[in-house]
């Protein structure tokens, strides 16, 4: 199983780079960041420094979207990083939550997202693609490689991931929901004539190693609020108790009362007060290292190829080190 580290690009950028270096020393193979240009610093600038200060770490956004950057700019940016540092980038992409809503825009449609996946990958790998009706190709790219991994929750988005994406990003670590969503992605891949086992499965969630469960829950409760934004969209689209979406995913958002993006992805987020302890426990990895190892083995058995640690809490270095010393060796030793 591969491991990734997920950070926000809060200033100073040097600290983001330092944590990524620490992650690589501890056996992490991927370094991810949020991508929301208003809330945090520009990630692609920081990726250049991360790549320059690591040897093998693969980097990318979790996740970008097809609305805040033109597709040829996104492709050229990834291709430039790959040309400078080797093919060590991955494009995580989704409809857009904070990046779009903070700017007063609605998330992108799935149709637009599906088209963007094909165009960005083709352009970044040196092939011709059509952008706004115009065929273009980036002429300087040689042997470019850009895997595109799509984040999804709902049935139509899961189907799109299976049809088009090189990887599937699931932002929660509940085994029941993970199994349900992986099956949906792989079934869509089969129906599209693709090899379902060729799609990389990445589960991303907060991890907090320690014996004080109450404190760990409070540090990671923000994640249920973040996921709740996407779940609320599903409920508005499909309704409550829909056969299309499991009740286990939708039930907890009934108490959700708005959301303030100024606290997005941060410990102590007051907009996440509605998230019960049960959801925090199900969606995150908490407790002593042994509990993390047990849950990760379950996820690996369901087909998860990578676990990406959301590290936005008060024990970032300790969590990275605990994973490097105890968790990663137990999964890969």
């Amino acid at each position: 199983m591969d491991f990734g580290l997920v950070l926000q690009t809060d200033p100073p950028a040097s600290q983001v780079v330092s944590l990524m270096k620490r992650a690589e020393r501890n056996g992490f193979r991927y370094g991810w960041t949020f991508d929301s240009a208003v809330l945090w610093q520009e990630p692609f600038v920081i990726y250049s420094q991360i790549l320059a200060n690591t040897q093998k770490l693969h980097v990318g956004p979790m996740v970008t979207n097809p609305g805040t950057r033109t597709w040829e700019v996104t492709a050229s940016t990834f291709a430039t990083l790959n040309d400078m540092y080797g093919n060590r980038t991955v494009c995580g992409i989704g409809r857009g939550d904070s990046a779009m809503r903070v700017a007063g825009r609605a998330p992108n449609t799935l149709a637009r997202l599906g088209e963007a996946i094909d165009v960005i990958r083709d352009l970044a790998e040196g092939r011709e693609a059509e952008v706004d009706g115009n065929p273009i190709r980036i002429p300087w790219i040689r042997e470019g490689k850009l895997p595109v991994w799509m984040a999804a929750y709902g049935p139509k988005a899961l189907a799109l991931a299976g049809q088009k994406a090189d990887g599937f990003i699931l932002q929660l670590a509940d085994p029941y929901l993970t199994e349900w969503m992986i099956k949906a992605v792989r079934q869509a891949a089969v129906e599209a004539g693709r090899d379902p086992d060729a799609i990389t499965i990445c589960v991303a969630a907060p991890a907090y190693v320690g014996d004080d469960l109450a404190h760990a829950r409070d540090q990671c409760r923000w994640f249920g609020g973040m996921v709740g934004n996407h779940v609320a969209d599903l409920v508005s689209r499909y309704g409550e108790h829909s056969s299309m979406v499991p009740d286990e995913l939708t039930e907890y958002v009934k108490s959700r009362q708005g959301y303030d993006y100024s606290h997005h992805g941060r410990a102590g987020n007051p907009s996440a007060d509605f998230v019960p302890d049960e959801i925090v426990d199900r969606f995150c990895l908490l407790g002593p290292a042994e509990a993390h190892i047990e849950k990760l083995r379950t996820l690996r058995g369901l087909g998860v190829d990578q676990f990406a640690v959301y590290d936005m809490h008060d024990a970032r270095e300790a969590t990275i080190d605990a994973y490097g010393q105890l968790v990663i060796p137990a999964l890969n030793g």
Side-chain angles (χ1 to χ4, degrees), residues 59-263:
V59 304
M62 188 178 281
V63 293
T64 192
N65 73 86
T68 53
R69 309 172 198 274
T70 59
W71 302 351
E72 69 273 19
V73 169
T74 299
S76 183
T77 304
F78 277 113
T80 301
L81 292 170
N82 284 338
D83 186 63
M84 293 171 69
Y85 302 107
N87 289 326
R88 292 168 53 199
T89 66
V90 56
C91 176
I93 195 168
R95 294 178 60 225
D97 178 31
S98 63
M100 296 296 287
R101 288 182 163 124
V102 166
R105 307 183 188 109
N108 296 270
T109 65
L110 288 175
R112 179 174 171 83
L113 176 57
E115 184 182 358
I117 288 172
D118 290 337
V119 169
I120 291 169
R121 183 198 291 118
D122 282 345
L123 289 177
E125 295 186 347
R127 295 184 294 275
E128 182 179 284
E130 191 172 287
V131 179
D132 295 331
N134 298 307
I136 61 173
R137 186 178 72 84
I138 303 175
W140 51 263
I141 294 176
R142 300 288 183 270
E143 300 181 357
K145 185 66 177 175
L146 182 66
V148 181
W149 297 7
M150 179 183 155
Y153 291 106
K156 292 181 180 179
L158 294 168
L160 181 62
Q163 292 159 7
K164 289 185 177 288
D166 302 300
F168 164 49
I169 297 171
L170 172 58
Q171 291 160 310
L172 54 81
D174 177 71
Y176 173 83
L177 294 170
T178 298
E179 182 176 20
W180 180 80
M181 293 184 184
I182 289 175
K183 285 182 178 178
V185 169
R186 287 180 169 164
Q187 181 60 39
V190 170
E191 293 173 358
R194 304 180 68 204
D195 177 3
D197 294 326
I199 299 174
T200 302
I201 307 296
C202 174
V203 161
Y208 197 108
V209 180
D211 295 326
D212 188 344
L213 273 177
H215 181 73
R217 287 176 181 134
D218 286 344
Q219 287 292 304
C220 298
R221 197 175 306 276
W222 63 266
F223 184 67
M226 186 181 85
V227 174
N229 295 334
H230 303 283
V231 175
D233 285 346
L234 296 178
V235 171
S236 67
R237 188 173 298 117
Y238 297 105
E240 294 183 14
H241 308 297
S242 167
S243 61
M244 301 290 283
V245 184
D247 288 346
E248 287 83 354
L249 184 60
T250 61
E251 197 67 23
Y252 84 99
V253 298
K254 289 181 178 179
S255 301
R256 181 178 181 269
Q257 300 290 331
Y259 191 84
D260 182 354
Y261 278 92
S262 66
H263 304 286

Side-chain angles (χ1 to χ4, degrees), residues 11-25:
S14 59
Q15 188 172 51
V16 177
V17 176
S18 178
L19 287 168
M20 290 298 185
K21 291 167 61 179
R22 191 185 197 108
E24 184 178 58
R25 291 196 304 268

